[in-house]
Amino acid sequence: RAAEQLTAGLNGVRTLTADNPHQQRRLLTLEYLAAQRLSCSKEQIELRRERGLEAASQAVMTGRGKNLMDQIRVLIGDMMEMENGLLARRSLEEADSSRRAASAMVWGILLVCVASGLIWLQLVHSIARPLRETAAIAERMGTGDLSVEVNVDGRRDEVGAMLQAFARMATFQREMANVAGQISSGDLR
């Protein structure tokens, strides 16, 4: 039963350490030592069956089985130490990677905020300011100031269309004011 469990355990370790050639070499040594230990146990069991308790006790007293187990324990300890070291290193690398990802996200968010602010300023500059100027022109025209000059600046968007309409309206209002002035001076042509 122990041999079956040992084989299953060693196969599991082989799978778990497949990416580590150093551990794979240690595993081969562990398999050899385990086979030697199982062989030693079988010999002692056979001695007990064939020659009795005294012969088996003498075989145990040689310390061969204990020496093999001590070597196995040291080797397993070394393997576990290496795996724990790898785990610690990978955990640190993962934590570092997480910190870098978080930092990249923070910088990305800041960059998006700055870019959004710049876009907002551009919108204010290209849309809101001309709309305020157009509203001021409309206000002046509404109070009778027809000397207003509307500067379209070659805009082809909605603000440009509105400025062109105001320019036409201002020109029309000036023409109508001239006509009204001519009529008031008696010129009915």
Side-chain angles (χ1 to χ4, degrees):
R1 199 171 346 135
E4 291 172 9
Q5 291 174 349
L6 178 64
T7 301
L10 290 173
N11 287 336
V13 171
R14 180 174 286 103
T15 302
L16 292 172
T17 61
D19 63 337
N20 188 334
H22 189 67
Q23 290 289 59
Q24 291 291 305
R25 285 190 300 274
R26 283 181 169 172
L27 187 59
L28 290 174
T29 303
L30 181 60
E31 287 176 324
Y32 173 77
L33 290 172
Q36 291 296 311
R37 179 63 181 106
L38 285 174
S39 174
C40 180
S41 293
K42 284 180 184 178
E43 288 171 9
Q44 291 169 354
I45 291 169
E46 288 300 316
L47 274 173
R48 168 79 165 99
R49 286 186 183 148
E50 293 174 5
R51 296 175 55 205
L53 182 58
E54 185 61 34
S57 294
Q58 290 299 320
V60 170
M61 296 304 279
T62 64
R64 180 173 171 247
K66 182 185 180 319
N67 288 338
L68 286 169
M69 279 309 298
D70 289 344
Q71 290 177 43
I72 289 170
R73 285 186 190 102
V74 167
L75 185 57
I76 289 173
D78 290 346
M79 290 177 77
M80 288 179 64
E81 185 177 326
M82 177 181 258
E83 288 300 312
N84 288 334
L86 286 171
L87 177 62
R89 189 184 84 225
R90 288 175 182 160
S91 295
L92 287 175
E93 288 171 356
E94 182 64 31
D96 185 50
S97 175
S98 294
R99 278 192 299 278
R100 283 195 312 267
S103 177
M105 285 192 317
V106 167
W107 283 108
I109 289 170
L110 287 174
L111 183 62
V112 166
C113 289
V114 167
S116 297
L118 291 174
I119 290 170
W120 181 80
L121 286 174
Q122 178 62 29
L123 286 173
V124 165
H125 179 71
S126 68
I127 294 175
R129 191 182 61 162
L131 286 177
R132 280 194 305 271
E133 291 172 0
T134 305
I137 290 170
E139 182 66 32
R140 285 177 58 194
M141 288 174 68
T143 59
D145 182 1
L146 299 178
S147 65
V148 220
E149 286 297 322
V150 180
N151 188 5
V152 177
D153 289 332
R155 291 182 71 121
R156 296 187 174 275
D157 59 357
E158 291 80 5
V159 173
M162 187 170 57
L163 287 171
Q164 288 174 356
F166 269 99
R168 286 192 302 274
M169 186 170 48
T171 302
F172 179 75
Q173 291 293 332
R174 278 192 290 276
E175 289 173 1
M176 288 298 110
N178 284 338
V179 169
Q182 288 174 350
I183 290 174
S184 69
S185 64
D187 184 3
L188 298 176
R189 288 185 276 138

